[in-house]
Amino acid sequence: MSGNPIYPSKFTLYVGICWILAAFGGLMFGYDIGISGGVTAMDDFLIKFFPKVHERKMHAKEDNYCKYDDQYLQLFTSSLYLAALVSSFFASKVCTKFGRKPTILAASLFFLAGAALSSGAPNLWMLIIGRVLLGIGVGFGNEAVPLFLSEIAPVQHRGAVNILFQLFVTIGILIANMVNYWTSKLHPYGWRVSLGIAGVPAAILFIGSLIITETPASLVEHGKESSGYTTLQKIRGVKEVDVEFQQIKRASEIAQGGSMPYVYAPVLFQTVGFKNDASLLSSVITGLVNVCCTLVSVVSVDRFGRRILLLQACVQMFISQVVIGVILQRDLNATDSLSKPEAIVVVFLVCLFVSAFAWSWGPLGWLIPSETFPLETRTAGFAFAVSSNMLCTFIIAQAFLSMLCHMRALIFFFFGGWILVMGIFVYYLLPETKNVPIDAMVDTVWNKHRVWKKFTADEN
């Protein structure tokens, strides 16, 4: 790893281990995203907890768009995101008061408890309580891990290192889809195996939280300057860290003076006419696309920047959503299926959407908020980013199946419209943050932006 002329660094085995172990927080989150959609498509799971949904699914004249429309079934998925939304604010306080490392440890413990409870749940409410505990783990992990990765990464590779989080999210989704495909054949308790395996990445994260270092910024913020300096030397692999350390100290002094798209893939594929096994296999295919295209972001984000990836992806995502909507509006009614060629085209378009999201909005939605805030508001600001992500995901998770039932193919035009709004926002309001030191972001980026400088420029 080449060093920055201002902030020199070189790669060491220890820092690489820290990156990978912390990124297991993403795998933990991704596994749970992927596992819930597959589990809710399993007949054994529906028979035990949602028998009415199963009856509707198996009915000869079922409505393709409404077979999974059930508020409690949606609560099974959305409860995790609601818990993550609320817990992210508590996680922000923990992250500020105790540091990034203890917050990651707490995330793993909550997730272990949630995995155990949900996999062994005898009734619906125990299942949902387990999901809530998983959600608290997600809230703590999603708050601490991206911040940890951004603060520990050298400036010239911060984008790629931070995207390890999203890369592991996509790997977790892929593993979950593969597990679901396998456990769907284990009757009647395959769904329990799927939910229980969530404890594996949580256990690895727990072990990792005991091995990784605290970030220099957090150590300095807590008055441990000597430890912060030696830690910075350790993670940079060089002795010459004075310039970067002084920047961290300056940010700390200013701080002292101051005042979260794949959940329903199996359901979507069953809607357009795939049988259960085929829908789960199609989810595995999209999961592979997801992982591979996230790697594209790892390679390109520090070379081309954040804005170009986001804007290009908006065009690709908008086209795929609109074309899917046109196909379904034209050819999929309530009881028939798409023809095989059309269904394959839909899978291709979903992969096109997933690929664009995977190298842009997926990883950059975590990277950009983790690197843009000054130290004094970094944990609180990122908590708002995490909670906003979880709020939107909760709304979609709770409403998507009902929206699909009532809006039918129009739902794809609805989301296409929001993608257009996203693109306009990036074009006019999002500054480029490539190669900007994390503790110099305000002076270098926000105070010079044509819009935001009106709110952030120092009056003095």
Side-chain angles (χ1 to χ4, degrees):
M1 179 180 293
S2 60
N4 183 283
I6 301 176
Y7 298 154
S9 66
K10 65 180 181 180
F11 179 80
T12 65
L13 178 62
Y14 176 72
V15 77
I17 291 172
C18 286
W19 294 347
I20 297 299
L21 289 176
F24 264 88
L27 194 146
M28 186 176 72
F29 179 39
Y31 183 86
D32 199 77
I33 291 175
I35 214 68
S36 58
V39 164
T40 54
M42 293 182 187
D43 290 340
D44 293 325
F45 176 82
L46 294 175
I47 289 170
K48 180 168 182 61
F49 294 110
F50 306 99
K52 292 182 179 179
V53 176
H54 182 259
E55 288 179 19
R56 193 159 62 238
K57 175 185 173 183
M58 301 305 293
H59 197 276
K61 295 296 183 182
E62 64 183 354
D63 189 325
N64 281 315
Y65 291 100
C66 298
K67 66 176 80 173
Y68 291 102
D69 182 21
D70 183 273
Q71 289 300 310
Y72 285 109
L73 179 61
Q74 293 173 129
L75 182 62
F76 165 73
T77 298
S78 64
S79 57
L80 180 142
Y81 302 106
L82 182 60
L85 187 162
V86 175
S87 66
S88 63
F89 291 103
F90 292 97
S92 169
K93 295 293 185 183
V94 174
C95 216
T96 299
K97 186 171 183 178
F98 300 104
R100 290 37 163 169
K101 180 175 176 174
T103 310
I104 293 173
L105 172 64
S108 66
L109 293 175
F110 279 118
F111 210 88
L112 281 168
L117 193 58
S118 59
S119 64
N123 55 57
L124 177 60
W125 289 108
M126 290 290 282
L127 182 73
I128 291 177
I129 291 172
R131 293 285 293 175
V132 169
L133 288 174
L134 290 171
I136 296 173
V138 166
F140 273 68
N142 288 10
E143 169 71 18
V145 171
L147 284 178
F148 175 88
L149 292 172
S150 284
E151 290 183 345
I152 205 172
V155 59
Q156 69 273 24
H157 298 290
R158 187 176 63 240
V161 172
N162 186 277
I163 289 173
L164 284 175
F165 176 78
Q166 180 65 18
L167 176 62
F168 273 61
V169 170
T170 63
I171 293 172
I173 293 171
L174 174 60
I175 292 173
N177 289 334
M178 295 170 67
V179 168
N180 279 335
Y181 183 69
W182 170 61
T183 59
S184 65
K185 301 173 176 59
L186 300 179
H187 303 290
Y189 299 120
W191 61 271
R192 291 192 186 275
V193 177
S194 288
L195 295 176
I197 291 176
V200 175
I204 296 173
L205 185 67
F206 172 77
I207 296 170
S209 68
L210 303 177
I211 297 173
I212 62 176
T213 183
E214 184 58 89
T215 70
S218 182
L219 289 169
V220 171
E221 190 178 17
H222 288 88
K224 301 176 181 179
E225 288 191 11
S226 178
S227 296
Y229 187 83
T230 56
T231 298
L232 187 60
Q233 289 179 319
K234 186 176 183 180
I235 64 174
R236 293 293 178 260
V238 296
K239 296 295 184 181
E240 304 80 16
V241 297
D242 288 353
V243 175
E244 184 174 5
F245 187 70
Q246 289 304 316
Q247 180 67 56
I248 293 173
K249 280 186 62 178
R250 179 174 178 271
S252 179
E253 289 165 1
I254 294 172
Q256 297 299 325
S259 42
M260 272 260 132
Y262 312 115
V263 174
Y264 290 112
V267 171
L268 174 62
F269 290 132
Q270 287 198 24
T271 296
V272 301
F274 287 96
K275 299 303 181 184
N276 191 57
D277 284 355
S279 69
L280 292 173
L281 182 58
S282 298
S283 298
V284 172
I285 294 171
T286 58
L288 282 169
V289 172
N290 197 9
V291 172
C292 293
C293 291
T294 302
L295 287 170
V296 173
S297 187
V298 172
V299 173
S300 61
V301 68
D302 289 314
R303 178 176 299 178
F304 302 113
R306 284 60 161 157
R307 280 170 51 88
I308 189 66
L309 292 178
L310 293 172
L311 291 171
Q312 182 280 329
C314 279
V315 175
Q316 187 168 322
M317 292 160 63
F318 179 80
I319 292 172
S320 62
Q321 288 284 291
V322 170
V323 177
I324 290 174
V326 169
I327 293 173
L328 299 189
Q329 180 72 22
R330 184 187 64 188
D331 296 328
L332 183 67
N333 57 32
T335 57
D336 294 333
S337 300
L338 292 178
S339 67
K340 186 175 180 179
E342 285 181 314
I344 292 172
V345 169
V346 169
V347 173
F348 171 78
L349 290 168
V350 170
C351 290
L352 196 67
F353 177 90
V354 168
S355 65
F357 183 85
W359 64 54
S360 62
W361 290 89
L364 300 186
W366 300 107
L367 167 61
I368 293 172
S370 74
E371 67 182 2
T372 53
F373 292 102
L375 184 59
E376 66 267 27
T377 60
R378 190 170 296 157
T379 58
F382 192 67
F384 274 98
V386 173
S387 62
S388 298
N389 187 309
M390 294 299 107
L391 174 62
C392 293
T393 308
F394 164 74
I395 292 171
I396 297 301
Q398 186 63 31
F400 178 80
L401 297 178
S402 296
M403 291 171 68
L404 183 65
C405 177
H406 294 92
M407 296 178 68
R408 300 178 180 264
L410 295 178
I411 192 172
F412 293 95
F413 300 107
F414 173 79
F415 286 120
W418 282 109
I419 293 170
L420 188 61
V421 172
M422 290 155 52
I424 294 172
F425 174 86
V426 170
Y427 186 82
Y428 287 104
L429 296 177
L430 186 70
E432 182 56 69
T433 53
K434 180 184 72 170
N435 288 336
V436 179
I438 190 171
D439 291 307
M441 198 66 67
V442 174
D443 292 337
T444 307
V445 174
W446 299 109
N447 287 349
K448 296 180 180 179
H449 190 271
R450 63 181 182 274
V451 174
W452 301 119
K453 67 181 180 181
K454 300 174 185 177
F455 303 95
T456 64
D458 189 343
E459 293 181 358
N460 296 321

